[in-house]
Amino acid sequence: TVLQSSSSLKASYEDWLLTYGLSVSPFHMRWQTALFNRQFYNWGRWKPRFLYLWFSIGMVFGIVAMFGSVILLGKTLMQTLTQMLTEAPKAQNDRMLQVVVSGISLGLPLSTCFVLLSCPHKQVPGVNLPVSQLAYFFSAILISGVIHEVGHGVAAIREQVRFNGFGIFIFIVYPGAFVDLFTTHLQLISPVQQLRIFCAGVWHNFVLGVASLIVLFLLPAILFPFYYTGVGALVTEVTEDSPANGPRGLFVGDLVTSLQDCPVYSVEDWNYCLGDITEKSQIGYCINAATLQQLSFPTRVYRRLDGTVECCSNNSLTDICFSYSNNLDSPLHACLPARKAIEASQVCRTNTDCQKDFVPSLCVTPSLENQTRLIRVKHPPHMDMLFVGHPMHLQYTVSLSSFVPRHNFLSIDLPVVIETFCKYLISLSGALAVINAVPCFALDGQWILNSFLEATLSSLIVEKQNRELVGFLILLAGSALLAANVALGLWMVTAR
């Protein structure tokens, strides 16, 4: 704005922007070039029959996605409203859709539409998206946008529409892409040809999401020559504030093989075991009566505010209060050194589980606060780690991988990077396909709907003005539906 307001610099500044294909405005910068035109024309003329079939399938998918996206957004809106009206919203971890959508430029008078939407999980950079994930987030957005626009560009060339150029933009901090097509050519072709072009973007995003899903599913086979799986969960990071951090904790490169009596062969097993430990009551350990008498010492017993019993000094870092029953008296308690008591012990639920040996044993259970657990983590050849705390603290502060390098020079982070990036591509590219298909002003859905109505209603509604009115009313409803989802989604992020 300063440079354009200067009489001496305005002309040279605008010439410089024009030379490099740049456009700068508040919160928005874009770059357009004709450098890739030849490559686009080569793609658009490659195997015409295959491309005709490819984009015809994409047209069918785009039309189905247009109707499906309305149903999805309607369902999402109802779920969000239900969550808002419920005092304790029900977690819905099985349905996650993270969406960042950029409107495309097809050489038509389109304004850039940039939508941030989540249903029901919200991923907002700087609010609840970890800084360590920003590279994946923005890279996936950019790649999804580029693949989206390549679809439009190649389909347009296949339908004999002049291709003017390709570009990349940044809106605030979000990257995106666009293609510039000759408007007159686009308006002269048939509605069905237009549909192939307008649906090509969401079709390519869907294909990219499916391809990423296949790579994620086949990753163990793809990396098999370099990494093996099924032997445990490999520790890749332990945060500084993690309760697993310490001289007898977990270290990068350790291989976790079990949590309590729950075997761990992968990261999925690790998460399952921690969830199972959280839901079930604290497990006990078999200790023979002689050892129990030898290790315990007289202490004063008192009850905590939550009703649980404590029998050790608050200053002790190694002793834990255990409760047990000798089937004669009421529950007894003993303060025991945790490692000596349970390190080589068999797990149990009742005294009956400890009667397998000839030596009489009792099942002693840690007497801890509600939701707190004593967890024995095996990571051979190191000494077992004993964790006392909420299991989720262990889950959130320790990063693991199911892939173990076959050679020392291989990175332990590479499979995690590929896995994470594939998940972001699946989420964001799939979301871009769904949301861009919504019949909403300035999104692909607007042009898909207009072309669809022209192709299907021209014989039923003869007057073009009436067809345009029908399209306008549908677009108005679709835009309102999308706006309501965005508004409520942002409210859920900021208010909670």
Side-chain angles (χ1 to χ4, degrees):
T1 302
V2 172
L3 291 173
Q4 287 183 337
S5 62
S6 172
S7 57
S8 59
L9 298 176
K10 179 180 179 181
S12 58
Y13 172 66
E14 291 180 345
D15 289 342
W16 179 80
L17 290 178
L18 185 63
T19 302
Y20 290 98
L22 294 171
S23 175
V24 181
S25 59
F27 308 111
H28 184 267
M29 178 185 294
R30 77 183 212 169
W31 169 70
Q32 181 175 336
T33 181
L35 291 174
F36 306 107
N37 286 19
R38 182 180 297 275
Q39 185 61 54
F40 271 90
Y41 276 102
N42 290 337
W43 288 337
R45 293 165 180 168
W46 176 78
K47 297 187 181 299
R49 290 186 178 181
F50 171 78
L51 290 180
Y52 173 79
L53 178 62
W54 177 259
F55 289 118
S56 295
I57 296 173
M59 177 183 66
V60 175
F61 172 81
I63 294 171
V64 173
M66 179 178 64
F67 292 103
S69 63
V70 173
I71 296 173
L72 177 62
L73 286 182
K75 184 179 178 181
T76 301
L77 183 62
M78 296 303 298
Q79 290 176 345
T80 305
L81 288 173
T82 302
Q83 283 186 330
M84 292 174 60
L85 297 175
T86 305
E87 291 185 0
K90 181 180 178 182
Q92 301 178 19
N93 295 325
D94 56 331
R95 292 188 296 274
M96 180 175 71
L97 186 61
Q98 305 160 334
V99 185
V100 175
V101 184
S102 60
I104 63 166
S105 171
L106 291 172
L108 300 171
L110 299 182
S111 60
T112 301
C113 178
F114 208 87
V115 181
L116 176 64
L117 176 68
S118 316
C119 56
H121 293 272
K122 289 80 183 170
Q123 294 292 330
V124 185
V127 178
N128 64 352
L129 183 67
V131 175
S132 61
Q133 302 286 300
L134 291 181
Y136 298 111
F137 185 76
F138 289 121
S139 298
I141 293 174
L142 181 60
I143 291 176
S144 299
V146 169
I147 296 299
H148 182 103
E149 300 306 324
V150 167
H152 287 304
V154 175
I157 293 171
R158 168 65 183 77
E159 302 299 335
Q160 306 299 317
V161 174
R162 193 175 81 187
F163 183 86
N164 295 328
F166 168 82
I168 293 175
F169 68 86
I170 296 178
F171 178 72
I172 306 180
V173 294
Y174 295 95
F178 64 92
V179 290
D180 184 12
L181 306 180
F182 190 54
T183 307
T184 305
H185 284 183
L186 198 57
Q187 293 173 340
L188 290 175
I189 60 178
S190 69
V192 175
Q193 289 177 299
Q194 291 176 357
L195 276 172
R196 292 195 192 100
I197 296 173
F198 296 139
C199 294
V202 297
W203 168 238
H204 273 213
N205 278 132
F206 173 75
V207 172
L208 176 61
V210 171
S212 302
L213 184 62
I214 293 173
V215 171
L216 186 63
F217 180 75
L218 296 179
L219 195 58
I222 295 172
L223 297 180
F224 180 76
F226 310 102
Y227 298 85
Y228 55 88
T229 57
V231 294
L234 184 69
V235 178
T236 58
E237 182 185 5
V238 182
T239 61
E240 292 185 5
D241 59 344
S242 172
N245 199 356
R248 292 191 178 181
L250 296 176
F251 296 90
V252 173
D254 286 355
L255 192 65
V256 177
T257 58
S258 72
L259 298 173
Q260 303 287 46
D261 59 338
C262 184
V264 175
Y265 301 106
S266 64
V267 176
E268 289 74 20
D269 292 337
W270 163 274
N271 293 328
Y272 169 79
C273 291
L274 285 177
D276 190 56
I277 290 170
T278 303
E279 293 175 1
K280 293 182 179 179
S281 59
Q282 173 68 58
I283 203 168
Y285 303 88
C286 294
I287 302 180
N288 67 64
T291 304
L292 179 62
Q293 185 176 5
Q294 180 182 1
L295 292 177
S296 62
F297 49 89
T299 56
R300 196 172 111 187
V301 176
Y302 63 91
R303 292 191 177 273
R304 303 185 183 96
L305 294 177
D306 61 359
T308 57
V309 174
E310 175 62 85
C311 61
C312 289
S313 169
N314 291 333
N315 298 325
S316 175
L317 298 177
T318 59
D319 300 337
I320 290 179
C321 182
F322 288 83
S323 65
Y324 63 96
S325 173
N326 59 6
N327 299 324
L328 296 175
D329 303 321
S330 58
L332 304 174
H333 298 86
C335 184
L336 307 175
R339 187 170 296 277
K340 290 182 180 180
I342 73 171
E343 194 166 40
S345 302
Q346 167 192 335
V347 296
C348 58
R349 291 289 178 184
T350 64
N351 288 338
T352 307
D353 298 332
C354 301
Q355 303 306 319
K356 298 178 181 179
D357 299 326
F358 293 104
V359 180
S361 299
L362 298 173
C363 185
V364 299
T365 305
S367 179
L368 302 171
E369 295 176 288
N370 290 335
Q371 305 301 321
T372 302
R373 298 288 185 271
L374 169 61
I375 304 174
R376 183 169 59 187
V377 182
K378 289 188 176 295
H379 55 126
H382 305 289
M383 185 183 297
D384 293 354
M385 182 188 79
L386 300 184
F387 168 83
V388 178
H390 196 288
M392 292 300 102
H393 294 165
L394 194 60
Q395 187 173 28
Y396 293 146
T397 59
V398 179
S399 300
L400 303 104
S401 170
S402 300
F403 296 85
V404 181
R406 293 182 181 273
H407 308 285
N408 293 332
F409 64 86
L410 293 173
S411 170
I412 63 175
D413 295 320
L414 179 61
V416 177
V417 170
I418 298 175
E419 276 187 315
T420 307
F421 188 62
C422 284
K423 290 175 181 178
Y424 270 91
L425 275 181
I426 294 167
S427 177
L428 294 175
S429 187
L432 187 63
V434 173
I435 303 302
N436 245 313
V438 177
C440 170
F441 292 109
L443 291 179
D444 285 353
Q446 175 183 357
W447 314 108
I448 294 173
L449 176 67
N450 290 340
S451 299
F452 178 74
L453 294 179
E454 287 295 319
T456 57
L457 297 183
S458 56
S459 59
L460 297 176
I461 304 177
V462 180
E463 293 292 333
K464 183 177 178 63
Q465 186 176 2
N466 293 337
R467 293 197 300 271
E468 290 178 347
L469 178 61
V470 171
F472 174 79
L473 294 176
I474 296 175
L475 288 173
L476 196 62
S479 300
L481 179 62
L482 183 59
N485 272 277
V486 173
L488 291 179
L490 291 176
W491 181 85
M492 293 286 282
V493 172
T494 56
R496 298 192 178 187

